[in-house]
Amino acid sequence: MTDALAPRALILGSTSRYRRELLSRLRLDFDVVSPEVDETPLAGETPQALASRLALAKARAVAARFPQAVVIGSDQVADLAGEPLGKPGTHERATAQLRRMRGQTVIFQTAVAVVCQASGFEQSDIAPVRVTFRDLTDAEIEAYLQAEQPYDCAGSAKSEGLGIALLEAIDNDDPSALVGLPLIRTCRMIRAAGVKVL
């Protein structure tokens, strides 16, 4: 009887340091486990569908290894007119991404999923963030990339850092979503899964 009432472990199924830092804001004890999920887009998959599928796949993969835990999975895909833009990985690819995005509105599709295999709990949601980039010069792009080197960020920019200077506007309803984990939605789902947040 006591075991049924014991709080479940909370696990972040992610290798992202940004998501780990965001989840830490909630002052909850949690572990971090790599989900080891193939992130290759499916043929014809939209950025929104890709982000949603990967968030759920990551949560399910970790929940399969830790069935008693409440597991959070998340994924973000930058959506430029329906085309998915991933993490650039290199300076050259980041330069090309920012050149394509200048003067454009990009939707950062940030998905989150919460799964507890033991209780059968599974929910997911997506927090779209509309980001309008300034009409950047090549010199501004180069200066930014040299300063911040955001090669591990979808869309090649960190809005929580110097990347904010690249932008005209951000429009969303979950302020941490652009950084990589929509905490309002995450709180709602982990509460529903039985995790006490406050």
Side-chain angles (χ1 to χ4, degrees):
M1 189 74 167
T2 328
D3 288 347
L5 301 175
R8 295 194 182 276
L10 182 64
I11 298 176
L12 176 62
S14 176
T15 55
S16 164
R17 61 190 167 109
Y18 307 109
R19 290 191 182 104
R20 186 170 58 246
E21 289 164 8
L22 285 168
L23 190 57
S24 295
R25 293 183 188 179
L26 301 182
R27 300 181 183 186
L28 297 170
D29 289 328
F30 67 93
D31 292 313
V32 177
V33 175
S34 172
E36 298 169 21
V37 165
D38 180 2
E39 298 191 23
T40 308
L42 302 176
E45 192 171 31
T46 67
Q48 183 177 11
L50 173 61
S52 294
R53 176 177 64 82
L54 291 179
L56 199 50
K58 290 173 183 180
R60 285 174 175 166
V62 175
R65 286 184 270 160
F66 301 91
Q68 295 298 325
V70 172
V71 181
I72 300 166
S74 186
D75 195 76
Q76 183 180 73
V77 179
D79 177 347
L80 178 60
E83 181 189 340
L85 300 178
K87 298 170 186 168
T90 67
H91 182 83
E92 293 71 29
R93 285 203 287 267
T95 302
Q97 276 191 2
L98 287 174
R99 284 178 176 166
R100 290 188 61 207
M101 294 187 299
R102 59 184 160 199
Q104 303 293 316
T105 295
V106 179
I107 301 172
F108 286 78
Q109 305 284 5
T110 308
V112 62
V114 174
V115 173
C116 178
Q117 200 171 77
S119 69
F121 183 88
E122 183 173 290
Q123 282 187 10
S124 62
D125 201 355
I126 195 149
V129 183
R130 295 177 59 83
V131 178
T132 304
F133 283 79
R134 292 175 38 248
D135 191 7
L136 304 164
T137 66
D138 287 349
E140 286 174 316
I141 290 170
E142 183 63 20
Y144 170 67
L145 292 177
Q146 290 296 336
E148 204 152 60
Q149 301 181 2
Y151 309 134
D152 61 345
C153 298
S156 305
K158 294 181 189 178
S159 65
E160 70 275 24
L162 181 60
I164 200 75
L166 305 176
L167 309 179
E168 284 287 349
I170 297 173
D171 181 22
N172 71 346
D173 66 359
D174 204 331
S176 59
L178 187 54
V179 183
L181 185 65
L183 287 178
I184 293 173
R185 286 165 172 81
T186 301
C187 284
R188 184 178 69 232
M189 286 191 272
I190 64 175
R191 276 195 304 265
V195 175
K196 189 173 179 180
V197 180
L198 288 172

Coordinates of all heavy atoms in Angstrom, one line a residue, residues 18-19 22-23 25 76 110 127 129 159-160 172-186:
Y18 N 20.1 22.5 -22.3 CA 19.1 23.6 -22.2 C 17.9 23.1 -21.5 O 17.3 23.8 -20.7 CB 18.8 24.2 -23.6 CG 20.0 24.6 -24.4 CD1 20.5 23.9 -25.5 CD2 20.8 25.7 -24.0 CE1 21.6 24.2 -26.2 CE2 21.9 26.1 -24.7 CZ 22.3 25.3 -25.8 OH 23.5 25.7 -26.4
R19 N 17.4 21.9 -21.9 CA 16.2 21.3 -21.3 C 16.5 21.0 -19.8 O 15.6 21.2 -19.0 CB 15.7 20.1 -22.0 CG 15.2 20.4 -23.4 CD 14.4 19.3 -24.1 NE 14.0 19.8 -25.4 CZ 14.6 19.5 -26.5 NH1 15.6 18.7 -26.6 NH2 14.2 20.1 -27.6
L22 N 16.3 24.2 -17.9 CA 14.9 24.7 -17.8 C 14.2 23.9 -16.7 O 13.5 24.5 -15.9 CB 14.2 24.6 -19.2 CG 14.6 25.7 -20.2 CD1 14.1 25.3 -21.6 CD2 14.1 27.1 -19.7
L23 N 14.3 22.6 -16.8 CA 13.5 21.7 -15.8 C 14.0 22.0 -14.4 O 13.2 22.0 -13.5 CB 13.7 20.3 -16.2 CG 12.8 19.3 -15.4 CD1 11.3 19.7 -15.6 CD2 13.0 17.9 -15.9
R25 N 14.5 24.7 -13.1 CA 13.8 25.9 -12.6 C 12.6 25.5 -11.7 O 12.2 26.3 -10.8 CB 13.2 26.8 -13.7 CG 14.3 27.5 -14.5 CD 13.6 28.3 -15.6 NE 14.5 28.9 -16.5 CZ 14.1 29.7 -17.5 NH1 12.9 30.0 -17.7 NH2 15.0 30.1 -18.4
Q76 N 12.4 19.9 -30.5 CA 12.1 21.2 -31.2 C 12.6 21.2 -32.6 O 13.7 20.7 -32.9 CB 12.8 22.3 -30.5 CG 12.5 23.7 -31.0 CD 13.2 24.8 -30.3 OE1 14.4 25.0 -30.4 NE2 12.5 25.6 -29.5
T110 N 7.9 23.4 -30.7 CA 8.5 22.7 -29.5 C 7.5 21.8 -28.8 O 6.5 22.3 -28.3 CB 8.9 23.8 -28.5 OG1 9.8 24.8 -29.1 CG2 9.7 23.2 -27.3
A127 N 4.0 23.5 -28.4 CA 4.0 25.0 -28.2 C 4.7 25.6 -29.4 O 5.9 25.7 -29.4 CB 4.7 25.3 -26.9
V129 N 6.1 28.6 -31.5 CA 6.6 29.9 -31.2 C 7.0 30.6 -32.5 O 7.8 30.1 -33.3 CB 7.9 29.9 -30.3 CG1 8.4 31.3 -29.9 CG2 7.7 29.0 -29.0
S159 N 17.9 32.6 -28.2 CA 17.1 33.8 -27.8 C 17.4 34.2 -26.4 O 17.3 35.4 -26.0 CB 15.6 33.6 -28.0 OG 15.2 32.6 -27.1
E160 N 17.9 33.3 -25.6 CA 18.2 33.6 -24.2 C 19.5 34.3 -24.0 O 19.9 34.7 -22.9 CB 18.1 32.3 -23.3 CG 19.2 31.3 -23.5 CD 18.9 30.3 -24.7 OE1 18.2 30.7 -25.6 OE2 19.5 29.2 -24.7
N172 N 4.4 33.9 -28.5 CA 4.1 32.6 -28.0 C 3.3 32.7 -26.7 O 3.1 33.8 -26.1 CB 5.3 31.7 -27.8 CG 6.2 32.2 -26.6 OD1 6.0 33.3 -26.1 ND2 7.1 31.4 -26.2
D173 N 2.8 31.5 -26.2 CA 2.1 31.5 -24.9 C 2.8 30.7 -23.8 O 2.2 30.4 -22.8 CB 0.7 31.0 -25.1 CG 0.6 29.6 -25.5 OD1 1.7 28.9 -25.7 OD2 -0.5 29.0 -25.7
D174 N 4.0 30.3 -24.0 CA 4.8 29.5 -23.1 C 6.2 30.0 -23.2 O 7.0 29.5 -24.0 CB 4.6 28.0 -23.4 CG 4.8 27.1 -22.2 OD1 5.6 27.5 -21.3 OD2 4.3 26.0 -22.2
P175 N 6.6 31.0 -22.4 CA 7.9 31.7 -22.6 C 9.2 30.8 -22.7 O 10.1 31.2 -23.4 CB 8.0 32.6 -21.4 CG 6.6 32.7 -20.8 CD 5.9 31.5 -21.2
S176 N 9.2 29.7 -22.0 CA 10.4 28.9 -22.1 C 10.5 27.9 -23.3 O 11.5 27.3 -23.6 CB 10.6 28.0 -20.8 OG 9.5 27.2 -20.7
A177 N 9.4 27.9 -24.1 CA 9.3 27.0 -25.2 C 10.4 27.2 -26.2 O 11.0 26.3 -26.8 CB 8.0 27.1 -25.9
L178 N 10.8 28.5 -26.5 CA 11.8 28.8 -27.5 C 13.1 28.3 -27.1 O 13.9 27.9 -27.9 CB 11.8 30.3 -27.8 CG 12.7 30.7 -29.0 CD1 12.4 30.0 -30.3 CD2 12.6 32.2 -29.2
V179 N 13.4 28.2 -25.8 CA 14.7 27.7 -25.3 C 14.7 26.2 -25.4 O 15.8 25.6 -25.5 CB 15.0 28.2 -23.9 CG1 16.3 27.7 -23.4 CG2 14.9 29.7 -23.8
G180 N 13.6 25.5 -25.5 CA 13.6 24.1 -25.7 C 12.7 23.2 -24.9 O 12.5 22.0 -25.2
L181 N 12.0 23.8 -23.9 CA 11.0 23.0 -23.1 C 9.9 23.9 -22.6 O 10.2 24.8 -21.8 CB 11.7 22.3 -21.9 CG 10.9 21.4 -21.0 CD1 10.5 20.2 -21.8 CD2 11.7 21.0 -19.7
P182 N 8.7 23.7 -23.1 CA 7.6 24.6 -22.7 C 7.1 24.2 -21.2 O 6.4 23.3 -21.0 CB 6.5 24.3 -23.7 CG 6.8 23.0 -24.3 CD 8.3 22.7 -24.1
L183 N 7.6 25.0 -20.3 CA 7.4 24.7 -18.9 C 6.0 24.8 -18.4 O 5.6 24.0 -17.5 CB 8.3 25.5 -18.0 CG 9.8 25.2 -18.0 CD1 10.6 26.1 -17.1 CD2 10.0 23.7 -17.6
I184 N 5.2 25.6 -19.0 CA 3.8 25.7 -18.6 C 3.1 24.4 -18.9 O 2.4 23.8 -18.1 CB 3.1 26.9 -19.2 CG1 3.6 28.2 -18.7 CG2 1.5 26.8 -19.0 CD1 3.1 29.5 -19.4
R185 N 3.3 23.9 -20.1 CA 2.7 22.6 -20.6 C 3.3 21.5 -19.8 O 2.6 20.5 -19.4 CB 2.9 22.5 -22.1 CG 2.0 23.3 -22.9 CD 2.5 23.4 -24.4 NE 1.5 24.1 -25.2 CZ 1.4 25.4 -25.4 NH1 2.2 26.2 -24.6 NH2 0.6 25.9 -26.2
T186 N 4.6 21.5 -19.6 CA 5.3 20.5 -18.8 C 4.7 20.3 -17.4 O 4.4 19.2 -16.9 CB 6.8 20.7 -18.8 OG1 7.3 20.8 -20.1 CG2 7.5 19.6 -18.0

